[in-house]
Amino acid sequence: MRTTVGIIGAGPAGLLLARLLHNAGIDSVVLESRDRAYVERRQRAGILEQATVDVLRAAGAAERMDREGLRHDGIELRYDRRRHRVDFPALTGGKSVMVYAQTEVCKDLIALQFEEGGPLLFETEALAVEGAETEHPRVRFRHGATGAEDVLECDWVVGCDGFWGVARAAVPSAVGRTFERTYPFGWLGVLADVPPSHDELVYARHDRGFALLSMRSPSVSRLYLQVPEGTDAGSWSDEEIWSELERRFETDDDWTLRRGPITQKSVTPMRSYVHEPMRHGRLFLAGDAAHIVPPTGAKGLNLAVGDVVTFARALVHRAGTGSEELLDAYSATCLRRVWQAERFSYDMTTLLHRAPDATPFDDRLQVARLDRIAGSRAAGTDLAEAYTGFPIG
Ligand code: RFL
Ligand code: PHB
């Protein structure tokens, strides 16, 4: 098998990259280890930055998003039983975000790829990237149906295979460097068949821990609770989840949390991670394969989009001009945006979560930081600009 760009992974990064390349007349093959139903059902991100929305529209992949996505002009910060709304358009000169789930973005891109794009092979696991330093890198992979091994010969390989993928391992440790931080807590996330209890996202800081109210549609709520690292989702009953959410979201006014049937429960660990550089020879890393952020800033999916847009532009530039200057700049260009997202995600995480060893001093500092955001236009603007997203490239 032969192609111009071998793409490992059919998450948002790999699927969008295949679409962008197809639109530019560049052929690709996508290899995905899981089956289609799994990829379309995996619950993850929910917030699309303005730049992500613009990219999906320009790629011709936004028809359903524009019908079903919910435009949000702000978020609520909740602490000390008080509520503060951060107004995005007012603070950023008109920017907003879109609530449209990652599962839906993936479904839309998969459908388009099957209708119009190149091969997208599910249940096909990449085993290794070979020859990254040569003109003809290869991906060794295994066909799911037969178990037979095969090789995909490429001009370029893009590792969009997430944090646990194989692409990153093809960068020799002598040239790569990693930066990492883990957090002593995770998120218990639930989906519930109940209309969201607020029309915007609510990020709550509470002495018992963080809570987040988000949504998937006008009739489906997505809720998260900070839990200790290593928590088993099954150890929380539905009743315990609702009463803990109620406590953490409590206010002095008459706001109430609507309860409904919980249809899914899972725990996500929290990690900050960056691999530098994001390129080795003709292998490029994009999305979670190169970096992870804790979900508090809603940045993971948006970073993946920025990476693949940057790669596609660079390859199109090379095809048009013969110049590799943008490909050479790929890693540095992406990393500038990645580190801003790392900083923001870290700030949001430490602003809102209660560490197991937190002292009363730490608690007061968090409230002071929140008061600052609520009371200063400059501080509010800083949050609003970062949340609605930094430009790509
Ligand atoms: P993905 O989505 O992980 O996709 C990688 C794909 O590669 C496949 N794969 C392989 N395929 C072939 N051969 C191999 N050897 C392979 N190894 C792996 C995998 O099956 C998968 O389909 O990475 P991508 O495309 O870079 O997209 C990144 C986003 O998915 C991610 O940043 C966000 O979802 C992060 N994230 C969240 N971000 C938010 O902004 N808000 C959230 O609420 C949020 N929740 C989450 C998350 C990430 C989670 N992970 C990684 C466990 C919740 C979870 C549980
Ligand atoms: C979500 O809806 O899943 C979501 C929203 C905002 C976040 C994280 C997750 O910061």
Side-chain angles (χ1 to χ4, degrees), residues 8-15 31-34 38-39 42-47 102 106 124-127 160-167 187 212 216 222 224 266-269 286-289 291-304:
I8 311 175
L15 291 167
L31 308 176
E32 166 59 51
S33 55
R34 303 289 193 149
Y38 181 91
V39 170
R42 191 168 40 194
Q43 276 303 318
R44 288 187 174 176
I47 295 284
Q102 180 168 329
C106 288
T124 303
E125 185 188 6
L127 302 172
C160 300
D161 49 351
F163 185 68
W164 303 104
V166 295
W187 280 13
L212 171 62
R216 289 290 173 263
R222 175 77 170 151
Y224 296 97
S266 62
V267 172
T268 307
D288 279 15
H291 40 71
I292 297 283
V293 285
T296 330
K299 287 282 167 263
L301 166 60
N302 296 291
L303 281 182

